[in-house]
Amino acid sequence: MKKRGIYIACGVVFLLAAAFFGVKIFQGTYAPAAVTESMSYTAAPAPTEAPEATAVPAAEPAAETEEATPAPTATPEPYVSPIDFESLQAVNPDIIGWITILDTNIDYPVLQSPTDDDFYMDHNSDGRYSSNGSIFSDHEYNAADFSDPVTILYGHHMASGAMFGRLQKYYSDPDFWEPDHYIHIYTPERELAYKVFAALPFSSDNLLYYYDFTDEKTFESFFDAVFNARDLSAHFKEEYAPEPGDQVIILSTCLIGNNTRRFLVMGTLVSDDQSS
């Protein structure tokens, strides 16, 4: 019975001790040192020393480059005419060019005598007599290379339609006139294209004799007179009117029903092709 009393006494002491320490823990007067700091905070690791900076060698200045050599430009091929002037001039060296007008029958060599401007009125391109004559220019007033401010080519109005026999018929027809037309002249050195701007009856005077087309005022006044002409068979495209410095070609033939006047077709140079 004595032992049992001891055990009871010990149990009471143990319970009292547990209660005492429980109260202390609850009041926070006893806690292990490890939990005195907030558990939500994580200390940052101690900083380490930065590694020594490695020196970067300075960039060497760029070497001077040689000045770029421009690419060579292509050299235009020398002009090769579609007309075999070598063969033509072997027969007659007076052949200086070839005239072609699309949608017409005009497709002939152009002649110029170095001595007699009337010669090709009744001689063909072979130099033989022919009532048709040839298409020709005057050597006294026009250079053979078509470089003058105004070049005039003459051709007969043949009843057969040969030479310039149909020139007036073509250019007096409003339907033919409406689209743009070009007079093409081929030479051994280049190809020229003239845009037609006027077709009309005109005086039979030798224009190159009476007008100095190298003079700007004369040039302007002459073509002003052309555009002021009034005739039912006259046609104009004023937007293509020439200005001083332009080159003009004039085709001249007899006027139907009046041999004392001429029918003229005029074009301004718009293309001078010297390369193939």
Side-chain angles (χ1 to χ4, degrees):
M1 291 295 291
K2 196 173 186 177
K3 259 185 192 180
R4 185 177 177 187
I6 293 171
Y7 288 148
I8 293 171
C10 288
V12 170
V13 171
F14 176 78
L15 290 173
L16 291 173
F20 175 79
F21 284 111
V23 171
K24 290 296 184 179
I25 291 172
F26 178 78
Q27 292 176 342
T29 60
Y30 177 85
V35 297
T36 57
E37 297 290 335
S38 170
M39 295 300 293
S40 63
Y41 171 77
T42 302
T48 58
E49 293 185 0
E52 293 184 6
T54 304
V56 178
E60 295 183 2
E64 293 185 4
T65 56
E66 295 183 3
E67 187 176 343
T69 304
T73 55
T75 303
E77 294 293 329
Y79 173 75
V80 178
S81 176
I83 307 298
D84 185 1
F85 283 103
E86 184 175 355
S87 296
L88 291 172
Q89 292 176 338
V91 175
N92 187 351
D94 290 351
I95 296 174
I96 61 171
W98 193 282
I99 181 172
T100 297
I101 303 177
L102 297 179
D103 301 322
T104 76
N105 70 328
I106 298 172
D107 190 27
Y108 297 107
V110 178
L111 285 292
Q112 186 185 86
S113 168
T115 57
D116 182 2
D117 285 333
D118 292 333
F119 184 79
Y120 288 105
M121 290 184 68
D122 53 12
H123 287 78
N124 65 19
S125 59
D126 293 338
R128 295 177 296 180
Y129 174 82
S130 169
S131 59
N132 282 359
S134 300
I135 307 301
F136 67 97
S137 67
D138 287 347
H139 87 285
E140 188 174 354
Y141 300 106
N142 277 144
D145 61 359
F146 298 85
S147 60
D148 294 305
V150 174
T151 296
I152 299 181
L153 300 184
Y154 302 95
H156 288 310
H157 176 261
M158 302 302 297
S160 65
M163 300 298 122
F164 286 162
R166 295 179 184 168
L167 191 68
Q168 183 174 349
K169 179 180 178 181
Y170 290 133
Y171 285 99
S172 297
D173 181 350
D175 292 335
F176 180 86
W177 173 258
E178 185 60 29
D180 290 340
H181 286 275
Y182 296 86
I183 300 166
H184 294 274
I185 300 290
Y186 299 92
T187 77
E189 295 79 24
R190 62 198 208 272
E191 178 181 340
L192 308 170
Y194 301 82
K195 182 171 279 189
V196 174
F197 64 85
L200 71 161
F202 209 78
S203 164
S204 61
D205 291 340
N206 186 327
L207 301 180
L208 296 174
Y209 176 81
Y210 287 104
Y211 297 91
D212 177 11
F213 290 109
T214 62
D215 179 75
E216 289 189 4
K217 289 184 178 179
T218 301
F219 188 99
E220 288 181 324
S221 63
F222 174 79
F223 288 108
D224 284 345
V226 166
F227 282 101
N228 286 324
R230 294 292 177 264
D231 192 285
L232 293 177
S233 59
H235 294 280
F236 306 101
K237 291 184 177 178
E238 296 190 22
E239 63 271 30
Y240 305 141
E243 299 178 355
D246 287 339
Q247 290 178 276
V248 174
I249 195 165
I250 299 177
L251 310 184
S252 176
T253 193
C254 291
L255 181 66
I256 296 174
N258 187 349
N259 288 336
T260 65
R261 304 190 74 203
R262 311 290 290 179
F263 186 81
L264 307 181
V265 175
M266 305 178 178
T268 302
L269 182 66
V270 292
S271 175
D272 183 350
D273 188 2
Q274 301 182 53
S275 61
S276 61

Short mmCIF file of all heavy atoms in Angstrom, two decimals, residues 5-59:
data_model
loop_
_atom_site.label_atom_id
_atom_site.label_comp_id
_atom_site.label_asym_id
_atom_site.label_seq_id
_atom_site.Cartn_x
_atom_site.Cartn_y
_atom_site.Cartn_z
N GLY A 5 0.97 4.47 -2.82
CA GLY A 5 0.88 5.88 -2.42
C GLY A 5 1.99 6.69 -3.04
O GLY A 5 1.82 7.83 -3.46
N ILE A 6 3.18 6.08 -3.10
CA ILE A 6 4.32 6.77 -3.75
C ILE A 6 4.03 7.05 -5.21
O ILE A 6 4.29 8.11 -5.74
CB ILE A 6 5.59 5.95 -3.56
CG1 ILE A 6 5.99 5.91 -2.09
CG2 ILE A 6 6.73 6.51 -4.40
CD1 ILE A 6 7.12 4.93 -1.75
N TYR A 7 3.49 6.00 -5.89
CA TYR A 7 3.20 6.13 -7.35
C TYR A 7 2.18 7.24 -7.59
O TYR A 7 2.30 8.02 -8.53
CB TYR A 7 2.66 4.82 -7.92
CG TYR A 7 3.70 3.73 -8.03
CD1 TYR A 7 3.34 2.36 -7.87
CD2 TYR A 7 5.07 4.04 -8.25
CE1 TYR A 7 4.26 1.35 -7.95
CE2 TYR A 7 6.00 2.99 -8.31
CZ TYR A 7 5.61 1.69 -8.16
OH TYR A 7 6.52 0.69 -8.24
N ILE A 8 1.21 7.32 -6.69
CA ILE A 8 0.19 8.36 -6.85
C ILE A 8 0.80 9.73 -6.65
O ILE A 8 0.55 10.67 -7.41
CB ILE A 8 -0.99 8.13 -5.87
CG1 ILE A 8 -1.73 6.84 -6.25
CG2 ILE A 8 -1.93 9.33 -5.86
CD1 ILE A 8 -2.77 6.40 -5.21
N ALA A 9 1.64 9.83 -5.66
CA ALA A 9 2.30 11.13 -5.38
C ALA A 9 3.16 11.55 -6.55
O ALA A 9 3.18 12.71 -6.95
CB ALA A 9 3.13 11.01 -4.09
N CYS A 10 3.91 10.58 -7.11
CA CYS A 10 4.77 10.90 -8.30
C CYS A 10 3.93 11.36 -9.48
O CYS A 10 4.29 12.28 -10.22
CB CYS A 10 5.59 9.67 -8.67
SG CYS A 10 6.89 9.30 -7.48
N GLY A 11 2.80 10.68 -9.66
CA GLY A 11 1.94 11.06 -10.80
C GLY A 11 1.43 12.45 -10.65
O GLY A 11 1.35 13.22 -11.61
N VAL A 12 1.08 12.82 -9.42
CA VAL A 12 0.57 14.17 -9.21
C VAL A 12 1.63 15.19 -9.50
O VAL A 12 1.41 16.21 -10.14
CB VAL A 12 0.04 14.29 -7.76
CG1 VAL A 12 -0.28 15.74 -7.43
CG2 VAL A 12 -1.18 13.42 -7.56
N VAL A 13 2.84 14.89 -9.01
CA VAL A 13 3.97 15.82 -9.26
C VAL A 13 4.21 15.98 -10.76
O VAL A 13 4.44 17.06 -11.27
CB VAL A 13 5.24 15.30 -8.56
CG1 VAL A 13 6.46 16.12 -8.99
CG2 VAL A 13 5.06 15.38 -7.06
N PHE A 14 4.15 14.88 -11.52
CA PHE A 14 4.41 14.92 -12.97
C PHE A 14 3.37 15.76 -13.68
O PHE A 14 3.67 16.59 -14.53
CB PHE A 14 4.40 13.49 -13.51
CG PHE A 14 4.57 13.43 -15.03
CD1 PHE A 14 5.80 13.60 -15.60
CD2 PHE A 14 3.47 13.22 -15.84
CE1 PHE A 14 5.95 13.56 -16.96
CE2 PHE A 14 3.63 13.19 -17.19
CZ PHE A 14 4.85 13.36 -17.77
N LEU A 15 2.12 15.62 -13.27
CA LEU A 15 1.05 16.37 -13.92
C LEU A 15 1.18 17.85 -13.63
O LEU A 15 0.98 18.70 -14.50
CB LEU A 15 -0.33 15.87 -13.43
CG LEU A 15 -0.75 14.47 -13.90
CD1 LEU A 15 -2.07 14.04 -13.19
CD2 LEU A 15 -0.93 14.47 -15.39
N LEU A 16 1.56 18.18 -12.42
CA LEU A 16 1.77 19.59 -12.07
C LEU A 16 2.90 20.20 -12.89
O LEU A 16 2.82 21.32 -13.37
CB LEU A 16 2.05 19.72 -10.56
CG LEU A 16 0.86 19.42 -9.64
CD1 LEU A 16 1.33 19.43 -8.16
CD2 LEU A 16 -0.25 20.44 -9.82
N ALA A 17 3.97 19.41 -13.02
CA ALA A 17 5.13 19.91 -13.81
C ALA A 17 4.74 20.14 -15.27
O ALA A 17 5.09 21.14 -15.92
CB ALA A 17 6.29 18.93 -13.72
N ALA A 18 3.98 19.19 -15.86
CA ALA A 18 3.57 19.33 -17.28
C ALA A 18 2.70 20.52 -17.48
O ALA A 18 2.82 21.27 -18.46
CB ALA A 18 2.84 18.04 -17.72
N ALA A 19 1.82 20.74 -16.52
CA ALA A 19 0.94 21.90 -16.64
C ALA A 19 1.72 23.20 -16.58
O ALA A 19 1.47 24.15 -17.31
CB ALA A 19 -0.12 21.84 -15.52
N PHE A 20 2.71 23.23 -15.68
CA PHE A 20 3.54 24.43 -15.54
C PHE A 20 4.28 24.78 -16.82
O PHE A 20 4.24 25.87 -17.33
CB PHE A 20 4.52 24.23 -14.37
CG PHE A 20 5.50 25.35 -14.22
CD1 PHE A 20 5.13 26.55 -13.61
CD2 PHE A 20 6.80 25.23 -14.72
CE1 PHE A 20 6.01 27.58 -13.45
CE2 PHE A 20 7.68 26.29 -14.55
CZ PHE A 20 7.31 27.46 -13.93
N PHE A 21 4.97 23.78 -17.38
CA PHE A 21 5.75 24.03 -18.62
C PHE A 21 4.86 24.30 -19.82
O PHE A 21 5.18 25.07 -20.71
CB PHE A 21 6.67 22.84 -18.91
CG PHE A 21 7.87 22.81 -18.02
CD1 PHE A 21 8.03 21.82 -17.04
CD2 PHE A 21 8.86 23.80 -18.10
CE1 PHE A 21 9.13 21.80 -16.21
CE2 PHE A 21 9.95 23.76 -17.26
CZ PHE A 21 10.11 22.77 -16.32
N GLY A 22 3.65 23.69 -19.84
CA GLY A 22 2.72 23.97 -20.94
C GLY A 22 2.30 25.41 -20.95
O GLY A 22 2.20 26.05 -21.98
N VAL A 23 2.03 25.93 -19.77
CA VAL A 23 1.65 27.35 -19.69
C VAL A 23 2.77 28.23 -20.16
O VAL A 23 2.56 29.19 -20.89
CB VAL A 23 1.22 27.69 -18.25
CG1 VAL A 23 1.03 29.18 -18.07
CG2 VAL A 23 -0.05 26.94 -17.89
N LYS A 24 3.99 27.93 -19.84
CA LYS A 24 5.14 28.74 -20.22
C LYS A 24 5.32 28.74 -21.74
O LYS A 24 5.62 29.74 -22.36
CB LYS A 24 6.41 28.20 -19.54
CG LYS A 24 6.46 28.45 -18.03
CD LYS A 24 6.51 29.94 -17.74
CE LYS A 24 6.64 30.18 -16.22
NZ LYS A 24 6.71 31.60 -15.91
N ILE A 25 5.17 27.58 -22.30
CA ILE A 25 5.32 27.49 -23.76
C ILE A 25 4.25 28.32 -24.43
O ILE A 25 4.48 29.07 -25.38
CB ILE A 25 5.25 26.03 -24.23
CG1 ILE A 25 6.50 25.28 -23.74
CG2 ILE A 25 5.13 25.95 -25.74
CD1 ILE A 25 6.44 23.78 -23.98
N PHE A 26 3.00 28.21 -23.91
CA PHE A 26 1.89 28.95 -24.50
C PHE A 26 2.11 30.44 -24.41
O PHE A 26 1.80 31.20 -25.32
CB PHE A 26 0.59 28.56 -23.80
CG PHE A 26 -0.60 29.31 -24.29
CD1 PHE A 26 -1.21 28.96 -25.49
CD2 PHE A 26 -1.10 30.37 -23.55
CE1 PHE A 26 -2.29 29.65 -25.96
CE2 PHE A 26 -2.20 31.06 -24.04
CZ PHE A 26 -2.81 30.70 -25.23
N GLN A 27 2.73 30.92 -23.31
CA GLN A 27 2.98 32.35 -23.12
C GLN A 27 4.21 32.83 -23.85
O GLN A 27 4.50 34.01 -23.88
CB GLN A 27 3.13 32.65 -21.61
CG GLN A 27 1.83 32.47 -20.85
CD GLN A 27 2.01 32.66 -19.35
OE1 GLN A 27 3.17 32.61 -18.84
NE2 GLN A 27 0.90 32.86 -18.64
N GLY A 28 4.97 31.94 -24.45
CA GLY A 28 6.15 32.32 -25.21
C GLY A 28 7.36 32.60 -24.33
O GLY A 28 8.31 33.19 -24.77
N THR A 29 7.36 32.23 -23.10
CA THR A 29 8.54 32.48 -22.26
C THR A 29 9.59 31.43 -22.40
O THR A 29 10.69 31.57 -21.89
CB THR A 29 8.11 32.54 -20.79
OG1 THR A 29 7.52 31.30 -20.43
CG2 THR A 29 7.15 33.68 -20.56
N TYR A 30 9.26 30.40 -23.17
CA TYR A 30 10.24 29.35 -23.38
C TYR A 30 10.13 28.92 -24.81
O TYR A 30 9.07 28.56 -25.30
CB TYR A 30 9.97 28.16 -22.46
CG TYR A 30 10.92 27.01 -22.70
CD1 TYR A 30 12.17 26.99 -22.07
CD2 TYR A 30 10.56 25.95 -23.53
CE1 TYR A 30 13.04 25.94 -22.30
CE2 TYR A 30 11.43 24.91 -23.75
CZ TYR A 30 12.67 24.91 -23.13
OH TYR A 30 13.54 23.87 -23.37
N ALA A 31 11.18 29.02 -25.58
CA ALA A 31 11.21 28.55 -26.97
C ALA A 31 12.64 28.31 -27.33
O ALA A 31 13.53 28.99 -26.87
CB ALA A 31 10.60 29.60 -27.90
N PRO A 32 12.89 27.34 -28.18
CA PRO A 32 14.27 27.11 -28.61
C PRO A 32 14.79 28.30 -29.37
O PRO A 32 14.06 29.02 -30.04
CB PRO A 32 14.14 25.89 -29.52
CG PRO A 32 12.81 25.29 -29.24
CD PRO A 32 11.95 26.40 -28.71
N ALA A 33 16.07 28.55 -29.32
CA ALA A 33 16.67 29.70 -30.02
C ALA A 33 16.43 29.66 -31.51
O ALA A 33 16.32 30.67 -32.18
CB ALA A 33 18.17 29.75 -29.72
N ALA A 34 16.33 28.46 -32.12
CA ALA A 34 16.20 28.33 -33.57
C ALA A 34 14.91 28.90 -34.09
O ALA A 34 14.80 29.19 -35.28
CB ALA A 34 16.31 26.87 -33.98
N VAL A 35 13.90 29.09 -33.26
CA VAL A 35 12.61 29.58 -33.77
C VAL A 35 12.31 30.98 -33.30
O VAL A 35 11.18 31.43 -33.34
CB VAL A 35 11.46 28.64 -33.38
CG1 VAL A 35 11.64 27.28 -33.99
CG2 VAL A 35 11.32 28.55 -31.87
N THR A 36 13.30 31.74 -32.82
CA THR A 36 13.05 33.10 -32.38
C THR A 36 12.89 34.05 -33.56
O THR A 36 12.34 35.14 -33.42
CB THR A 36 14.21 33.58 -31.48
OG1 THR A 36 15.44 33.49 -32.19
CG2 THR A 36 14.29 32.76 -30.20
N GLU A 37 13.39 33.72 -34.74
CA GLU A 37 13.21 34.53 -35.96
C GLU A 37 11.99 34.01 -36.72
O GLU A 37 11.61 32.86 -36.61
CB GLU A 37 14.44 34.43 -36.85
CG GLU A 37 15.71 34.97 -36.22
CD GLU A 37 15.69 36.46 -36.08
OE1 GLU A 37 14.96 37.12 -36.86
OE2 GLU A 37 16.36 36.96 -35.19
N SER A 38 11.34 34.88 -37.47
CA SER A 38 10.17 34.47 -38.27
C SER A 38 10.57 33.39 -39.23
O SER A 38 11.59 33.47 -39.90
CB SER A 38 9.63 35.68 -39.05
OG SER A 38 8.67 35.27 -39.98
N MET A 39 9.75 32.35 -39.39
CA MET A 39 10.05 31.23 -40.27
C MET A 39 9.83 31.58 -41.74
O MET A 39 10.24 30.85 -42.61
CB MET A 39 9.18 30.03 -39.88
CG MET A 39 9.48 29.48 -38.49
SD MET A 39 11.18 28.91 -38.32
CE MET A 39 11.16 27.52 -39.42
N SER A 40 9.15 32.72 -42.00
CA SER A 40 8.91 33.09 -43.41
C SER A 40 10.11 33.80 -44.02
O SER A 40 10.13 34.08 -45.20
CB SER A 40 7.68 34.00 -43.51
OG SER A 40 7.93 35.21 -42.81
N TYR A 41 11.08 34.16 -43.30
CA TYR A 41 12.24 34.90 -43.80
C TYR A 41 13.36 33.95 -44.10
O TYR A 41 13.70 33.10 -43.30
CB TYR A 41 12.71 35.90 -42.73
CG TYR A 41 14.03 36.58 -43.06
CD1 TYR A 41 14.08 37.60 -43.98
CD2 TYR A 41 15.20 36.14 -42.44
CE1 TYR A 41 15.29 38.20 -44.28
CE2 TYR A 41 16.40 36.75 -42.73
CZ TYR A 41 16.46 37.78 -43.65
OH TYR A 41 17.65 38.39 -43.96
N THR A 42 13.92 34.05 -45.23
CA THR A 42 15.07 33.24 -45.61
C THR A 42 16.25 34.17 -45.80
O THR A 42 16.19 35.10 -46.62
CB THR A 42 14.81 32.48 -46.92
OG1 THR A 42 13.65 31.68 -46.76
CG2 THR A 42 16.00 31.62 -47.29
N ALA A 43 17.25 33.97 -45.06
CA ALA A 43 18.42 34.86 -45.13
C ALA A 43 19.09 34.72 -46.49
O ALA A 43 19.25 33.62 -47.02
CB ALA A 43 19.40 34.53 -44.03
N ALA A 44 19.50 35.88 -47.10
CA ALA A 44 20.22 35.85 -48.37
C ALA A 44 21.62 35.34 -48.15
O ALA A 44 22.21 35.58 -47.10
CB ALA A 44 20.27 37.25 -48.97
N PRO A 45 22.15 34.62 -49.11
CA PRO A 45 23.52 34.13 -48.92
C PRO A 45 24.49 35.29 -48.86
O PRO A 45 24.26 36.34 -49.45
CB PRO A 45 23.74 33.26 -50.17
CG PRO A 45 22.77 33.79 -51.17
CD PRO A 45 21.59 34.26 -50.39
N ALA A 46 25.52 35.11 -48.18
CA ALA A 46 26.53 36.17 -48.06
C ALA A 46 27.11 36.47 -49.42
O ALA A 46 27.38 35.56 -50.20
CB ALA A 46 27.62 35.72 -47.10
N PRO A 47 27.30 37.77 -49.74
CA PRO A 47 27.86 38.10 -51.06
C PRO A 47 29.27 37.59 -51.21
O PRO A 47 30.03 37.59 -50.25
CB PRO A 47 27.82 39.63 -51.07
CG PRO A 47 27.83 40.01 -49.63
CD PRO A 47 27.11 38.95 -48.90
N THR A 48 29.58 37.19 -52.44
CA THR A 48 30.96 36.75 -52.72
C THR A 48 31.66 37.84 -53.48
O THR A 48 31.05 38.68 -54.12
CB THR A 48 30.94 35.46 -53.56
OG1 THR A 48 30.22 35.73 -54.76
CG2 THR A 48 30.25 34.33 -52.82
N GLU A 49 32.94 37.87 -53.46
CA GLU A 49 33.70 38.90 -54.18
C GLU A 49 33.56 38.71 -55.68
O GLU A 49 33.62 37.59 -56.18
CB GLU A 49 35.17 38.82 -53.78
CG GLU A 49 35.41 39.21 -52.33
CD GLU A 49 36.89 39.22 -52.03
OE1 GLU A 49 37.66 38.92 -52.94
OE2 GLU A 49 37.25 39.52 -50.89
N ALA A 50 33.37 39.83 -56.37
CA ALA A 50 33.26 39.75 -57.82
C ALA A 50 34.60 39.35 -58.41
O ALA A 50 35.65 39.77 -57.90
CB ALA A 50 32.84 41.10 -58.38
N PRO A 51 34.57 38.57 -59.47
CA PRO A 51 35.86 38.21 -60.08
C PRO A 51 36.52 39.44 -60.68
O PRO A 51 35.87 40.39 -61.06
CB PRO A 51 35.45 37.21 -61.19
CG PRO A 51 34.02 37.55 -61.47
CD PRO A 51 33.45 38.02 -60.18
N GLU A 52 37.80 39.44 -60.71
CA GLU A 52 38.53 40.57 -61.28
C GLU A 52 38.16 40.73 -62.75
O GLU A 52 38.04 39.77 -63.49
CB GLU A 52 40.03 40.34 -61.17
CG GLU A 52 40.53 40.35 -59.73
CD GLU A 52 42.03 40.22 -59.69
OE1 GLU A 52 42.62 40.23 -60.77
OE2 GLU A 52 42.58 40.11 -58.59
N ALA A 53 37.92 42.01 -63.14
CA ALA A 53 37.56 42.28 -64.55
C ALA A 53 38.72 41.94 -65.45
O ALA A 53 39.87 42.26 -65.15
CB ALA A 53 37.18 43.74 -64.72
N THR A 54 38.39 41.30 -66.56
CA THR A 54 39.43 40.96 -67.53
C THR A 54 39.54 42.09 -68.53
O THR A 54 38.55 42.49 -69.14
CB THR A 54 39.08 39.66 -68.28
OG1 THR A 54 38.88 38.63 -67.30
CG2 THR A 54 40.16 39.27 -69.26
N ALA A 55 40.69 42.63 -68.70
CA ALA A 55 40.87 43.76 -69.63
C ALA A 55 40.61 43.31 -71.05
O ALA A 55 41.13 42.28 -71.50
CB ALA A 55 42.28 44.32 -69.51
N VAL A 56 39.76 44.09 -71.79
CA VAL A 56 39.48 43.78 -73.20
C VAL A 56 40.39 44.65 -74.05
O VAL A 56 40.37 45.88 -73.93
CB VAL A 56 38.01 44.09 -73.55
CG1 VAL A 56 37.74 43.81 -75.01
CG2 VAL A 56 37.09 43.26 -72.66
N PRO A 57 41.17 44.05 -74.89
CA PRO A 57 42.09 44.88 -75.69
C PRO A 57 41.31 45.80 -76.61
O PRO A 57 40.27 45.44 -77.15
CB PRO A 57 42.89 43.83 -76.49
CG PRO A 57 42.04 42.61 -76.49
CD PRO A 57 41.29 42.63 -75.19
N ALA A 58 41.79 47.04 -76.77
CA ALA A 58 41.12 48.01 -77.66
C ALA A 58 41.14 47.51 -79.09
O ALA A 58 42.11 46.91 -79.55
CB ALA A 58 41.83 49.36 -77.57
N ALA A 59 40.02 47.77 -79.79
CA ALA A 59 39.93 47.32 -81.19
C ALA A 59 40.91 48.10 -82.04
O ALA A 59 41.06 49.30 -81.90
CB ALA A 59 38.51 47.53 -81.70
#
